[in-house]
């Protein structure tokens, strides 16, 4: 394997292209691809492609189609190993061979058992040079949802928290409080736009009546699917979530023994109700819940919930990434802790800080699983 500085920069460009539909390609990964030819003036991009909304068409055939006949002998940069299995579309390796590509540079191997190196083998057997590893670290982050789903059967889970300077997230009596500033709130909307689904609990729905949509100008159509953990089906039909079904779908995960009448009412409105086991404490089993979401194709899940649900995900070691906004405001000793029954520092037990950013007066700490 021989990778050059141009390989790294072109893969970075492919990763940027692939992020165009991040959060909206599930159950497929958001792949980016470039077809490039070397010229006397340097690399010339002949075609660009990215996984389309809904998961198809895939990135590679789109980039190859844009390049046309000029793809013959060129290099294909792709952020994930080209697929080699028949699904709803033909294998991407067939399109690569047919286009006459001379070299493929891929960031990482696809851990999906249907691919898992087979795509690379097919390409090499066809006489195509294959180099793997350019931009690998960034690709593993970009494709974390796909990787987690095919290896563990659940989505990649990001916990979002907004905490005061004294580690609180709400006022006494479970009353909501405005903690972060406008810039941080805009960043949260962007996070929603790049996740397949955002999950909250029924307690937050009743207390805050959130929409959990992306309300950045011109980006409402990028709102994620909304998921509510609601063991006893208490979701009010008049809630903002139920009233915004035209903007984004709503799934409710209830306990197996939840009453049938509320389910019928919600289903008639267009809400999808699913059931899992109820734990001894009365809540739904979140391990079963996230496995169910994985089975339904969700790859990237954002948890935007109250202290109880947040703590439950942390206790079960289900948090793969945390985005914690730290605000300068103080809420006082009687306010709600960020993680019910746990210190906020517990995140440091298995997550490491990747970077820290200023968001106006607030600070965003991004942490990822070690």
């Amino acid at each position: 394997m021989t990778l050059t500085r141009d390989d790294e920069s072109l893969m970075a460009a492919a990763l940027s292209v692939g992020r165009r539909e991040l959060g909206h390609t599930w159950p497929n990964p958001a792949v980016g691809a470039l077809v490039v030819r070397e010229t006397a003036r340097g690399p010339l991009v002949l075609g660009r492609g990215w996984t389309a909304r809904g998961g198809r068409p895939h990135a590679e055939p789109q980039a190859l189609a844009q390049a046309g006949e000029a793809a013959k002998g060129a290099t294909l940069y792709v952020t994930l190993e080209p697929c080699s299995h028949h699904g709803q579309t033909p294998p991407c390796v067939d399109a690569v061979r047919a286009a006459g590509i001379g070299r493929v540079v891929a960031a990482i191997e696809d851990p999906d058992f249907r691919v898992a190196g087979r795509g690379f083998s097919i390409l090499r057997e066809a006489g195509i040079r294959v180099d793997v590893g350019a931009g690998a670290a960034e690709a593993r982050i970009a494709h974390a949802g796909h990787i987690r789903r095919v290896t563990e059967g659940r989505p990649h889970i990001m916990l979002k928290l907004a905490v005061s300077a004294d580690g609180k997230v709400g006022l006494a009596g479970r009353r909501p409080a405005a903690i972060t500033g406008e810039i941080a709130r805009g960043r949260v909307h962007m996070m929603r736009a790049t996740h397949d689904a955002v999950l909250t609990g029924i307690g937050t729905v009743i207390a805050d009546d959130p929409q959990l949509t992306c309300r950045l100008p011109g980006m409402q159509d990028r709102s994620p699917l909304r998921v509510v953990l609601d063991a006893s089906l208490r979701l009010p039909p008049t809630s903002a979530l139920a009233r915004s079904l035209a903007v984004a779908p709503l799934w409710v995960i209830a306990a197996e023994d939840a009453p049938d009448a509320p389910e019928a009412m919600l289903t008639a409105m267009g809400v999808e109700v699913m059931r899992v086991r109820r734990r001894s404490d009365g809540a739904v089993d979140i391990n079963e819940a996230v496995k169910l979401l994985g089975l339904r194709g969700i790859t990237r899940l954002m948890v935007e919930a109250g202290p109880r649900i947040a703590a439950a995900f942390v206790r079960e070691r289900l948090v793969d990434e945390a985005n914690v906004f730290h605000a300068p405001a103080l809420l006082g000793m009687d306010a709600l802790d960020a993680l019910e029954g746990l210190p906020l520092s517990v995140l440091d037990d298995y997550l490491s800080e990747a970077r820290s950013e200023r968001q106006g007066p607030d600070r965003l700490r991004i942490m990822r699983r070690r």
Side-chain angles (χ1 to χ4, degrees), residues 3-213:
L3 296 172
T4 68
R5 183 175 299 177
D6 281 345
D7 290 337
E8 294 290 344
S9 61
L10 287 164
M11 186 60 73
L15 284 160
S16 180
V17 167
R19 284 191 283 266
R20 290 181 67 124
E21 291 295 345
L22 189 63
H24 300 274
T25 65
W26 60 277
N28 292 340
V31 176
L34 300 178
V35 177
V36 179
R37 181 176 297 282
E38 286 295 331
T39 72
R41 294 186 175 182
L44 174 65
V45 176
L46 306 171
R48 299 182 304 155
W50 55 89
T51 309
R53 186 166 294 209
R56 56 188 61 85
H58 291 183
E60 298 95 321
Q62 293 193 83
L64 292 167
Q66 193 177 101
E69 291 296 323
K72 187 174 180 62
T75 297
L76 173 69
Y77 290 85
V78 61
T79 62
L80 186 69
E81 178 182 5
C83 65
S84 55
H85 59 285
H86 284 271
Q88 294 189 33
T89 55
C92 288
V93 291
D94 289 354
V96 176
R97 291 186 297 182
I101 286 289
R103 179 186 181 220
V104 171
V105 179
I108 56 175
E109 180 180 301
D110 188 344
D112 188 328
F113 73 93
R114 297 170 297 179
V115 188
R118 184 167 175 265
F120 293 148
S121 295
I122 291 172
L123 294 174
R124 289 184 175 117
E125 288 168 4
I128 299 171
R129 174 182 166 185
V130 177
D131 292 320
V132 184
E138 189 62 30
R140 280 189 287 270
I141 295 172
H143 297 311
H146 171 70
I147 294 168
R148 192 76 61 186
R149 179 172 175 265
V150 300
T151 59
E152 298 185 28
R154 65 168 179 85
H156 178 85
I157 297 171
M158 187 273 280
L159 173 65
K160 170 258 166 182
L161 294 172
V163 302
S164 64
D166 47 356
K168 308 295 184 178
V169 295
L171 300 174
R174 299 194 177 274
R175 292 174 294 141
I179 296 174
T180 53
E182 184 176 351
I183 294 175
R185 289 194 290 271
R187 180 63 176 270
V188 171
H189 283 269
M190 184 60 75
M191 290 175 184
R192 292 174 185 168
T194 58
H195 280 79
D196 307 353
V198 57
L199 178 147
T200 196
I202 187 60
T204 296
V205 173
I206 292 172
D208 298 355
D209 196 24
Q211 293 185 46
L212 300 179
T213 53

